[in-house]
């Protein structure tokens, strides 16, 4: 796979497929981590005298313009981070985009409007997707794939467009791949994995793959309650995917056979209802044994004994991969579990990887120094699918 360092880009129109899918509160960016991660590639192209055309998706619009998902706030923030104006095109391949690109001088930057405002971007029809890719290709001379958070998607700008232009991987994708290979090819042991988040179904593939590779797997978040139920425990009104219980029981049995340590919560924080994340009103949680959760209560975070247990299981690890929060970290009453895992990673001498998505957001929201971790991924879903051993369309498209 060629990288951006293999390209001669001076004076050329370079299309950069970035991942600028940041959370917005109205028009305010609440976490600019993905924008900052895109800056090294874009800044390098600017320095090399390229005419840089940046493109990304944001949210899930339905293939048509929707002002709630406009990239206009992102253009402003990107300009601040680059220290130069970023021209914002009001469409993806129409007059606005063509005029913005035509006006670029060497070292200038334009950002196209949300790619998903065009139905061709996400279409499952190869011809429709290809037609949109043709329009995008007409804007540029060279393609740089750098949106790691989108490489698991077979979308026009990720999969089809590289076939139409000379192409290479940007600095971010190269960095992400280097890290993921350290989690798959030559892993330093003990190798500990922490998995959280809401649904166990989202993590089944990666658990299946990691059972062949990890030394211990720690489970938290909403998915933990399906594991506890599979062990015969009562879980009150906690999140449950009952149809996944047979798969979970099979994984627990396989882990035991292979000598993989599977660690589940020993205590949890419960409340009678889901907390109000807007007002952050006190939820008055109780700490109860994970084996004796009361009826009418729902588990919303791992408890203090589990925090200590998990920290001890991470203390001697040489490699740690973490994906998914331990509880409803957005509410202060249920942030302690996620904070404890993050703190354990900070204190660990291990090579620590935070696997994108909510975990990466939690690290920043809870006030941790990003440099205290070995690597914070920009792609939760992409990281998981890579660790499952899947072929990622956006990476395959960048191969020569």
């Amino acid at each position: 796979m060629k990288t951006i360092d293999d390209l001669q880009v001076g004076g050329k129109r370079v299309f950069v497929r970035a991942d600028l899918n940041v959370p917005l509160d109205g028009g305010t960016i609440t976490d600019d981590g993905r924008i900052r991660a895109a800056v090294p590639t874009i800044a390098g192209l600017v320095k090399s005298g390229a005419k840089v055309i940046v493109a990304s998706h944001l949210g899930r619009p339905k293939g048509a313009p929707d002002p709630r998902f406009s990239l206009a706030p992102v253009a402003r923030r990107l300009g601040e981070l680059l220290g130069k104006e970023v021209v914002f095109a009001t469409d993806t391949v129409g007059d606005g985009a063509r005029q913005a690109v035509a006006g670029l001088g060497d070292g200038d930057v334009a950002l196209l409007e949300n790619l998903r405002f065009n139905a061709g971007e996400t279409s499952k029809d190869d011809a429709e997707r290809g037609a949109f890719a043709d329009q995008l290709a007409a804007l540029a001379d060279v393609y740089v794939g750098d949106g790691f958070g989108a490489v698991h998607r077979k979308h026009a700008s990720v999969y089809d467009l590289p076939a139409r232009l000379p192409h290479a991987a940007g600095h971010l994708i190269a960095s992400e791949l280097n890290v993921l290979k350290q989690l798959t090819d030559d892993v330093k042991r003990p190798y500990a994995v922490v998995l959280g988040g809401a649904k166990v179904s989202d993590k089944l593939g990666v658990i299946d793959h990691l059972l062949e590779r990890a030394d211990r797997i720690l489970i938290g978040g909403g998915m933990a309650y399906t594991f506890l139920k599979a062990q015969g425990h009562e879980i009150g009104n906690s999140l449950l995917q009952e149809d996944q219980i047979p798969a979970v029981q099979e994984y627990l049995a396989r882990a035991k056979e292979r000598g993989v340590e599977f660690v589940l919560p020993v205590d949890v924080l419960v409340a009678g209802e889901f907390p109000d994340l807007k007002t952050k009103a006190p939820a008055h949680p109780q700490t109860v044994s994970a084996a004796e959760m009361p009826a009418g209560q729902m588990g919303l975070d791992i408890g203090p004994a589990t925090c200590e247990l998990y920290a001890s299981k991470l203390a001697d690890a040489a490699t740690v991969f973490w994906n998914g929060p331990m509880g409803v970290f957005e509410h202060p009453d249920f942030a302690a579990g996620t904070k404890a895992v993050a703190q354990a990673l900070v204190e660990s001498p291990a090579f620590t990887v935070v696997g994108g998505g909510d975990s990466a957001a939690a690290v920043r929201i809870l006030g941790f120094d990003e440099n205290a971790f070995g690597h914070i991924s920009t792609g939760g879903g992409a990281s998981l699918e890579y660790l499952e051993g899947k072929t990622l369309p956006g990476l395959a498209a960048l191969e020569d």
Side-chain angles (χ1 to χ4, degrees):
M1 181 185 295
K2 288 183 180 177
T3 71
I4 195 171
D5 294 329
D6 299 314
L7 299 177
Q8 297 295 323
V9 298
K12 293 183 179 179
R13 300 171 300 164
V14 180
F15 188 104
V16 179
R17 189 5 170 136
D19 178 13
L20 307 176
N21 184 28
V22 294
L24 292 174
D25 182 3
T28 302
I29 298 167
T30 57
D31 179 3
D32 68 354
R34 283 180 168 166
I35 306 175
R36 286 186 284 111
V39 165
T41 289
I42 298 169
L45 290 168
V46 167
K47 187 176 180 180
S48 297
K51 300 170 182 177
V52 188
I53 307 154
V54 185
S56 176
H57 71 287
L58 192 153
R60 295 180 182 272
K62 305 297 184 182
D66 185 333
R68 294 176 300 165
F69 301 109
S70 174
L71 281 166
V74 174
R76 291 191 291 272
R77 181 59 181 146
L78 180 59
E80 291 170 358
L81 292 168
L82 289 171
K84 65 184 285 97
E85 180 188 6
V86 172
V87 177
F88 181 61
T90 55
D91 54 28
T92 55
V93 291
D95 290 341
R98 288 190 291 269
Q99 290 171 11
V101 172
L104 293 177
D106 294 353
D108 287 346
V109 181
L111 174 65
L112 305 183
E113 183 55 284
N114 192 335
L115 290 165
R116 291 186 182 174
F117 284 2
N118 190 303
E121 169 68 1
T122 59
S123 176
K124 296 188 184 303
D125 181 83
D126 291 348
E128 184 179 11
R129 227 178 38 247
F132 183 49
D134 288 339
Q135 291 178 292
L136 292 172
L139 298 173
D141 305 308
V142 177
Y143 176 91
V144 171
D146 210 37
F148 180 73
V151 293
H152 58 315
R153 306 296 188 191
K154 193 176 181 180
H155 291 170
S157 66
V158 176
Y159 177 74
D160 302 274
L161 183 54
R164 289 157 166 79
L165 295 170
H167 52 264
H171 295 307
L172 177 59
I173 280 186
S175 172
E176 294 275 10
L177 287 179
N178 178 57
V179 168
L180 288 170
K181 286 174 181 175
Q182 294 180 64
L183 298 178
T184 53
D185 295 345
D186 188 21
V187 183
K188 294 180 180 178
R189 298 187 180 278
Y191 179 18
V193 176
V194 187
L195 296 175
K199 294 182 178 180
V200 68
S201 56
D202 292 341
K203 303 293 197 299
L204 288 179
V206 75
I207 293 172
D208 182 65
H209 202 66
L210 289 169
L211 281 173
E212 309 295 321
R213 292 160 177 80
D215 297 301
R216 61 186 69 129
I217 300 175
L218 287 58
I219 301 293
M223 62 185 285
Y225 304 104
T226 300
F227 278 89
L228 292 168
K229 185 71 172 180
Q231 290 188 324
H233 301 306
E234 291 301 322
I235 61 168
N237 290 344
S238 303
L239 185 64
L240 172 65
Q241 287 188 287
E242 196 159 7
D243 62 324
Q244 302 298 330
I245 287 178
V248 165
Q249 290 172 329
E250 178 196 339
Y251 289 154
L252 291 170
R254 277 178 55 198
K256 188 173 182 180
E257 289 172 8
R258 297 191 60 83
V260 177
E261 189 178 7
F262 230 106
V263 190
L264 297 177
V266 294
D267 64 343
V268 296
L269 295 186
V270 299
E273 59 185 8
F274 198 83
D276 189 324
L277 300 183
K278 287 190 175 181
T279 66
K280 305 289 197 296
H284 307 294
Q286 294 178 301
T287 302
V288 301
S289 167
E292 300 174 359
M293 295 178 63
Q297 299 286 299
M298 63 176 65
L300 296 164
D301 194 13
I302 58 174
T306 304
C307 290
E308 291 185 16
L309 172 65
Y310 285 13
S312 71
K313 296 295 183 182
L314 298 172
D316 68 339
T319 304
V320 180
F321 173 71
W322 171 33
N323 183 283
M326 297 293 98
V328 187
F329 73 90
E330 301 92 338
H331 192 285
D333 287 347
F334 305 104
T338 301
K339 183 175 282 189
V341 167
Q343 186 64 43
L345 266 63
V346 168
E347 295 175 0
S348 171
F351 175 57
T352 56
V353 179
V354 180
D358 287 341
S359 310
V363 162
R364 290 187 277 267
I365 290 170
L366 296 175
F368 287 90
D369 180 358
E370 294 181 48
N371 295 321
F373 302 88
H375 179 74
I376 298 179
S377 179
T378 56
S383 295
L384 289 176
E385 290 198 16
Y386 187 94
L387 293 179
E388 287 178 41
K390 291 183 177 180
T391 297
L392 306 187
L395 296 184
L398 292 176
E399 297 289 351
D400 296 325

